[in-house]
Amino acid sequence: MSCETPVNCSEEASLEKRGFDKDLQDEIEKEESHRKAVLQSIFDVILHVATQGSPLRGSNETLNFSDPRCGKFLNTIELVSHYHPPLREHILRHTKGQVTYFSSKIQNEFLKIISNKIREQIMEEAEEAKYYAVMFDCTPDVSHLEQMSQVLRYVRVVGNVPEITERLIDFFIVRDKTGVAFSEEILKKIEQEGLDIKNCRGQSYDNGPNMAGIYQEIQARISKRNPLAKFVPRPAYTLDLVRVNAATAVYEVAGYCRTVNCLYTYFSTSTNR
């Protein structure tokens, strides 16, 4: 059956890789294959560096591989390029204004994809286990913001052998430090992860008064919604409280700690010069 118009003939020829645009189609496929290979190598490097727990970026993000300040990501890219022809070609033909896929934005996008995939796998394991326990803890970061860590604990079966599993799920900022605000944030996070609070069988926090109180605080509020979510205090934090109370009982130690704290507060809030 012949095509009715020249346009249709051109489209059919393009689809069948025949005709005047065959070379163009071949070039497009070649470039597509090249970029896929480059992106795969970049993804592998990001995954490798992140698995080592190392920071990806340095203070210099330009493609000056001889600069030790360019960071582990670019250093590893430069090393891999010696054994990966598509990546080496990609670096050599780079010109100003051309997409390199080496920017911090691309790195963050890859890390986001990896984290989402890991989170999905963890949630699948937790749903399969059905029952779980949650652990939350707060600590201030360098910007003096209260950052809460979320850990999920459940039992999975590996080769017919039960195995207790703990997974770090997320870090998130908490603005309000009251027990009511903490409990709302925790319940919100549990719902966002698609977990049923009725299947929670344990909750653990530090032993601070806003965490372990029996009235309006976190464990009491969650236990009210699910009495089977037993509260388990953290023994490490209990030991830390003993250490703090023992230290403050000695006047000299208490005075020294106050002085160090004042010095830290003074210098940490001073303007950088």
Side-chain angles (χ1 to χ4, degrees), residues 223-235:
S223 296
K224 186 176 180 180
R225 293 187 57 176
N226 180 11
L228 297 177
K230 302 300 181 182
F231 172 65
V232 180
R234 288 175 51 195

Side-chain angles (χ1 to χ4, degrees), residues 15 35 53 97 146 150 152 197 222:
L15 292 174
R35 290 184 180 270
E146 201 73 23
Q150 176 187 4
L152 201 63
I197 189 63
I222 293 182

Side-chain angles (χ1 to χ4, degrees), residues 136-138 146-150 170-172 174 182 186:
F136 290 88
D137 193 13
C138 281
E146 201 73 23
Q147 193 173 78
M148 180 176 285
S149 59
Q150 176 187 4
D170 199 5
F171 287 103
F172 56 96
V174 178
F182 271 138
I186 289 174

Side-chain angles (χ1 to χ4, degrees), residues 224-265:
K224 186 176 180 180
R225 293 187 57 176
N226 180 11
L228 297 177
K230 302 300 181 182
F231 172 65
V232 180
R234 288 175 51 195
Y237 192 82
T238 302
L239 182 61
D240 187 58
L241 291 178
V242 173
R243 178 185 60 81
V244 171
N245 290 330
T248 54
V250 181
Y251 177 79
E252 290 79 5
V253 175
Y256 171 78
C257 291
R258 281 195 296 269
T259 302
V260 172
N261 185 63
C262 290
L263 289 173
Y264 171 78
T265 303

Side-chain angles (χ1 to χ4, degrees), residues 26-255:
D26 290 340
E27 285 297 321
I28 292 175
E29 292 181 2
K30 181 180 178 181
E31 183 65 19
E32 180 182 358
S33 177
H34 169 78
R35 290 184 180 270
K36 283 183 178 179
V38 171
L39 287 173
Q40 181 64 56
S41 63
I42 294 174
F43 180 85
D44 291 340
V45 169
I46 292 176
L47 184 61
H48 169 73
V49 177
T51 303
Q52 306 302 317
S54 301
L56 275 73
R57 297 185 285 274
S59 58
N60 182 11
E61 294 189 36
T62 60
L63 295 184
N64 182 12
F65 296 111
S66 61
D67 189 346
R69 299 174 300 167
C70 65
K72 290 190 176 181
F73 169 71
L74 290 179
N75 281 332
T76 308
I77 285 290
E78 195 268 339
L79 174 64
V80 173
S81 67
H82 294 302
Y83 311 97
H84 193 280
L87 183 59
R88 181 169 64 252
E89 179 186 352
H90 179 72
I91 294 174
L92 291 176
R93 72 183 190 181
H94 166 69
T95 57
K96 187 176 181 180
Q98 184 181 2
V99 178
T100 64
Y101 305 113
F102 298 150
S103 68
S104 58
K105 183 178 179 180
I106 296 296
Q107 296 172 37
N108 291 337
E109 288 181 1
F110 273 127
L111 290 173
K112 186 66 175 179
I113 293 172
I114 294 171
S115 65
N116 288 339
K117 190 64 178 178
I118 293 174
R119 185 190 298 270
E120 290 176 4
Q121 182 177 351
I122 293 174
M123 290 303 107
E124 289 177 0
E125 292 179 354
E127 290 177 2
E128 184 178 353
K130 186 176 181 179
Y131 301 112
Y132 64 92
V134 292
M135 292 183 287
F136 290 88
D137 193 13
C138 281
T139 184
D141 58 14
V142 293
S143 59
H144 305 288
L145 292 175
E146 201 73 23
Q147 193 173 78
M148 180 176 285
S149 59
Q150 176 187 4
V151 177
L152 201 63
R153 184 181 175 95
Y154 52 90
V155 178
R156 62 173 182 161
V157 179
V158 181
N160 295 325
V161 178
E163 180 180 288
I164 298 176
T165 304
E166 288 185 3
R167 302 293 191 192
L168 175 64
I169 302 298
D170 199 5
F171 287 103
F172 56 96
I173 301 298
V174 178
R175 305 292 179 181
D176 193 339
K177 298 182 181 180
T178 63
V180 174
F182 271 138
S183 61
E184 291 177 353
E185 287 286 345
I186 289 174
L187 291 172
K188 181 180 177 181
K189 287 295 294 182
I190 292 175
E191 292 176 357
Q192 287 178 348
E193 302 297 349
L195 299 172
D196 190 349
I197 189 63
K198 294 181 180 179
N199 292 330
C200 182
R201 291 297 181 267
Q203 49 177 323
S204 180
Y205 321 100
D206 61 43
N207 289 349
N210 66 322
M211 287 289 197
I214 61 174
Y215 297 110
Q216 296 295 324
E217 314 306 338
I218 296 178
Q219 64 94 5
R221 291 169 63 87
I222 293 182
S223 296
K224 186 176 180 180
R225 293 187 57 176
N226 180 11
L228 297 177
K230 302 300 181 182
F231 172 65
V232 180
R234 288 175 51 195
Y237 192 82
T238 302
L239 182 61
D240 187 58
L241 291 178
V242 173
R243 178 185 60 81
V244 171
N245 290 330
T248 54
V250 181
Y251 177 79
E252 290 79 5
V253 175

